[in-house]
Amino acid sequence: MHRPGFSFSHFGMYVTDIKKMEDFYTRILDFTVTDQGDLSGPNGPMHLVFLSRDPEEHHQIVLISGRPSEPSFNPINQISLKADSLGTLRQMHALLVKEGADDITPVTHGNAVSIYVRDPEGNRLELYFDLPWYVSQPMRLPVDLAGDDWVLMKRLEEHARSLPNFMPRSAWTAKMAKRMGLDSQS
């Protein structure tokens, strides 16, 4: 039994020693590195490592460099909730705007469309919908959620096709299953 709308998906956290954290999650907890790369962030360059134990999920944990040493810093980058449809995500965006939520940022990651927003205590949330294709990560670009679902999907796909390693999500999933040693298991 599950509620319609959103389901818990993944989280990101700032870390001090990204190599040590990657080693722990891959060697000890058997996660697989699915992607990694660099992005500029609000406090300078960040290195991101995407980890998953499930070939259906691009990432379940994101390690992000740049954790300050102050103990008051919250190392959790975001709490992510997966939408069951693009329509659900767009309805949530409209509701957040109507409610006057702080810092609403819709983006495309090429393989997903996301809304970043803060909860009442300032915790960062990502509400997102997976797209039916894959592109290399990390990738982030602002997106306008206006128009109907069909028009938005066409715009998102056109953009994604211009990005590195564009492929159907099913092909990426099969590739990850093989990398995780799950392709021959039933």
Side-chain angles (χ1 to χ4, degrees):
M1 188 176 223
H2 94 176
R3 293 180 175 163
F6 294 96
S7 61
F8 183 77
S9 171
H10 65 272
F11 72 94
M13 64 180 154
Y14 288 105
V15 300
T16 303
D17 186 343
I18 201 162
K19 286 293 180 197
K20 185 175 183 179
M21 292 290 281
E22 178 183 333
D23 176 67
F24 174 82
Y25 281 95
T26 57
R27 189 174 50 80
I28 304 299
L29 297 178
D30 205 27
F31 278 77
T32 298
V33 174
T34 61
D35 263 324
Q36 60 183 303
D38 299 301
L39 277 178
S40 61
N43 298 317
M46 305 179 301
H47 185 71
L48 290 83
V49 177
F50 299 85
L51 303 165
S52 184
R53 290 179 45 97
D54 180 351
E56 295 286 335
E57 294 291 337
H58 176 266
H59 57 279
Q60 295 172 308
I61 298 174
V62 184
L63 304 175
I64 307 157
S65 66
R67 180 179 178 175
S69 58
E70 308 90 58
S72 64
F73 180 80
N74 181 354
I76 303 302
N77 171 266
Q78 68 198 34
I79 300 166
S80 301
L81 301 172
K82 186 175 183 177
D84 60 6
S85 70
L86 184 57
T88 296
L89 186 69
R90 293 177 68 239
Q91 288 171 0
M92 179 57 67
H93 182 259
L95 178 61
L96 291 166
V97 169
K98 180 182 172 187
E99 292 291 319
D102 290 332
D103 196 21
I104 305 168
T105 308
V107 302
T108 179
H109 293 294
N111 62 353
V113 60
S114 301
I115 301 166
Y116 291 93
V117 64
R118 303 236 176 235
D119 73 13
E121 293 191 358
N123 297 301
R124 186 171 179 236
L125 302 177
E126 177 195 24
L127 310 173
Y128 76 98
F129 175 68
D130 274 333
L131 297 170
W133 49 79
Y134 164 82
V135 300
S136 292
Q137 297 297 307
M139 184 272 149
R140 178 182 62 214
L141 185 71
V143 67
D144 180 359
L145 297 179
D148 65 28
D149 290 357
W150 187 85
V151 171
L152 178 55
M153 283 294 284
K154 290 304 246 180
R155 283 195 336 245
L156 292 167
E157 182 176 2
E158 182 179 305
H159 172 255
R161 285 184 178 278
S162 72
L163 298 172
N165 297 312
F166 175 89
M167 68 181 79
R169 184 171 289 275
S170 59
W172 181 84
T173 300
K175 183 178 172 181
M176 287 301 109
K178 185 174 183 175
R179 186 185 294 179
M180 292 177 189
L182 302 172
D183 58 330
S184 61
Q185 297 178 7
S186 52

